[in-house]
Amino acid sequence: MASALERQDPAVYAAVVGEERRLREHIQLIPSENYPSAAVLEANGSVMTQKYAEGYPGYRFYQGCRWVDEVEDLARRRARSLFKAGRANVQPHSGSAANMAVYFAALEPGDTVLALDLASGGHLTHGDPVNFSAQLYNFVHYGVDPEMEQIDFDQVARLAREHRPKMIVTGATAYPRFWDYARFKEIADDVGAVHLADMAHVAGLVAGGVHPSPVSYAQYVTSTTHKTLRGPRGGLILCQRELRAEVNRALFPGIQGGPLEHVIAAKAVMFHEAAQPAFADYARAVVDNCAVLAETLLSEGLTLVSGGTDNHLLLVRFPDDGPTGRVAAAALEEAGIVVNKNKVPFDTKSAFVTSGIRMGSPAATTFGFRADEFRTIGRLIARVLRNLDDDAVPAAVAAEVRELASAVAARREREETWPSLFTPHEAVTPALV
Ligand code: DSN
């Protein structure tokens, strides 16, 4: 029996099936993506999408909220317990909304904020000129030092003393090293700033105990829920108990209307999964696999920003006379290896071109790739990058990638690895086969 979607809307159905194939046949190395479990997907696709529930559990503007209250409360409690946080708000639709709510709660327009610059790995919402954050607040940026390509704490301290920011923001979208949150707290305390730790990239590593937690060093912690945490797309705010009322008000009614209760249900499932001992094994494997990928790329002669990685991601820097990130990422996609072009510290090329590519291990580790296979992936990447002028190479590598991915998927299914992932429509819809 064909699915409702297949019968009713073949065009959308075909796109979904195409995406499922891409997710099974290509190697996903974009470090901000992951494969959520089948249970997370089920909650995300549930009837909870239907309900208007403006407000918070127990204080809603609509009747009929018994079950969405239940699920949102569960999500909040699980988030607090997972990260040992004072309070949790699970309503942000995205990381961007989570950051905006914290800015609205803690700052006045025009206030000064100190954050990591985009070329050093900072997020758009950390004061990139094209983003609302830079338009509403006076962002000053710290960066990495040119030698080590790691956070330059002397610069952070100097800029903090010079500009007396009201807030210091930590966290990045492309920084391959640990965050020393304690050191940032010292600097923030020295100048009377509050500390917002945006742990979007490393939240799953924090939950799994393989990256320091910012929670006791920051008044506010924001995150997305779909990266290393492996949940549905969305955002999260954690804060100290006494800051809760302002944060909640800033998000709703300040920024958002009705919460996405289906996504909140899926977040609740994800928080439960992330609290399991097996998730800590997953987080450890993510870091170990990324280290293997880094070692392999280095041994193949590539240059990595900061010389390597402590976490789930790495950045390849191309020399001035080498390929651009745009060309390299496109060639790798043709070879079935999905990465993204990315600026590297002190990059002179635009964000559309770039001198680097970013990749990481969270999604491929969930899919079932192990250390040896990450070594193979590293070699395949190097082969593509060494032969950008040879049109035959991407297709040859793509065939190897398909074979490798299919062997890994078969092993995953045979061993029933936790958690179970999506079942492709081909497997449940005989009409398609
Ligand atoms: N765009 C996101 C990323 O890929 O890292 C930033 O959160």
Side-chain angles (χ1 to χ4, degrees):
M1 165 92 163
S3 76
L5 184 59
E6 183 181 12
R7 274 181 280 129
Q8 196 174 309
D9 196 331
V12 170
Y13 179 77
V16 171
V17 170
E19 177 65 356
E20 288 173 350
R21 284 205 184 124
R22 191 189 70 83
L23 289 171
R24 282 176 66 88
E25 293 177 3
H26 293 183
I27 300 173
Q28 312 300 326
L29 294 183
I30 292 177
S32 44
E33 295 179 0
N34 216 324
Y35 292 85
S37 71
V40 165
L41 288 177
E42 190 177 335
N44 204 44
S46 71
V47 292
M48 294 266 173
T49 193
Q50 193 168 326
K51 190 73 197 96
Y52 248 121
E54 286 177 8
Y56 290 97
Y59 305 90
R60 302 285 195 187
F61 288 80
Y62 292 80
Q63 296 310 118
C65 288
R66 173 172 174 199
W67 297 109
V68 295
D69 273 7
E70 179 104 3
V71 90
E72 188 169 336
D73 232 356
L74 203 53
R76 293 196 300 197
R77 271 189 275 123
R78 288 177 178 177
R80 271 164 42 199
S81 144
L82 181 66
F83 292 110
K84 300 179 183 53
R87 286 292 178 267
N89 186 316
V90 294
Q91 291 194 2
H93 299 338
S94 64
S96 180
N99 285 344
M100 190 185 239
V102 171
Y103 297 154
F104 277 13
L107 304 172
E108 298 299 327
D111 277 347
T112 299
V113 184
L114 183 58
L116 184 66
D117 73 81
L118 195 74
S120 297
H123 282 279
L124 276 174
T125 52
H126 296 184
D128 190 78
V130 298
N131 185 259
F132 80 89
S133 49
Q135 284 153 30
L136 289 182
Y137 306 102
N138 172 38
F139 270 82
V140 176
H141 287 111
Y142 57 88
V144 294
D145 82 86
E147 192 79 22
M148 303 296 289
E149 298 183 313
Q150 300 196 29
I151 302 289
D152 180 348
F153 278 99
D154 292 339
Q155 187 200 33
V156 179
R158 183 172 52 71
L159 289 172
R161 280 195 303 271
E162 198 176 313
H163 295 277
R164 316 294 298 183
K166 194 152 171 198
M167 175 184 280
I168 297 184
V169 182
T170 53
T173 171
Y175 185 65
R177 297 296 176 179
F178 282 146
W179 282 88
D180 186 345
Y181 297 117
R183 209 144 161 209
F184 273 99
K185 179 183 186 314
E186 262 173 46
I187 297 173
D189 287 351
D190 259 4
V191 298
V194 292
H195 177 192
L196 159 61
D198 179 342
M199 64 168 182
H201 261 266
V202 296
L205 307 185
V206 170
V210 295
H211 187 286
S213 169
V215 169
S216 50
Y217 299 110
Q219 284 86 352
Y220 306 93
V221 176
T222 53
S223 184
T224 46
T225 48
H226 48 270
K227 297 187 173 92
T228 45
L229 267 180
R230 212 159 66 176
R233 300 197 76 81
L236 166 72
I237 304 171
L238 304 172
C239 65
Q240 294 174 338
R241 200 175 303 229
E242 60 277 16
L243 300 172
R244 172 184 70 156
E246 279 189 42
V247 164
N248 284 355
R249 252 197 317 275
L251 188 74
F252 170 82
I255 299 168
Q256 292 185 175
L260 310 176
E261 293 294 346
H262 57 303
V263 181
I264 289 172
K267 288 175 186 172
V269 176
M270 172 275 288
F271 290 129
H272 179 67
E273 288 179 359
Q276 304 311 307
F279 191 86
D281 298 341
Y282 162 69
R284 166 53 52 206
V286 165
V287 170
D288 290 349
N289 289 342
C290 197
V292 168
L293 183 60
E295 270 164 38
T296 312
L297 296 176
L298 286 170
S299 71
E300 294 280 345
L302 290 157
T303 302
L304 302 188
V305 168
S306 82
T309 176
D310 294 329
N311 58 21
H312 63 299
L313 70 82
L314 57 85
L315 287 144
V316 175
R317 173 196 284 281
F318 297 119
D320 286 345
D321 59 351
T324 63
R326 181 163 66 182
V327 165
L332 285 167
E333 183 173 10
E334 242 188 279
I337 299 172
V338 188
V339 306
N340 66 277
K341 59 178 179 270
N342 215 98
K343 278 190 152 196
V344 290
F346 312 104
D347 208 328
T348 51
K349 299 195 173 90
S350 80
F352 281 112
V353 180
T354 79
S355 306
I357 49 175
R358 182 185 70 152
M359 59 186 93
S361 54
T365 300
T366 300
F367 190 78
F369 288 92
R370 294 177 183 165
D372 273 351
E373 288 134 4
F374 270 89
R375 208 162 281 121
T376 307
I377 296 170
R379 290 194 196 112
L380 293 172
I381 290 170
R383 193 161 124 212
V384 173
L385 296 179
R386 261 198 310 269
N387 294 286
L388 288 170
D389 295 333
D390 185 342
D391 289 347
V393 170
V397 171
E400 286 188 48
V401 162
R402 267 196 305 278
E403 205 172 305
L404 182 62
S406 139
V408 170
R411 181 178 66 207
R412 221 196 120 73
E413 277 148 34
R414 207 170 47 245
E415 295 181 3
E416 295 184 5
T417 307
W418 180 90
S420 58
L421 302 187
F422 71 92
T423 306
H425 278 86
E426 288 98 324
V428 290
T429 313
L432 231 211
V433 183

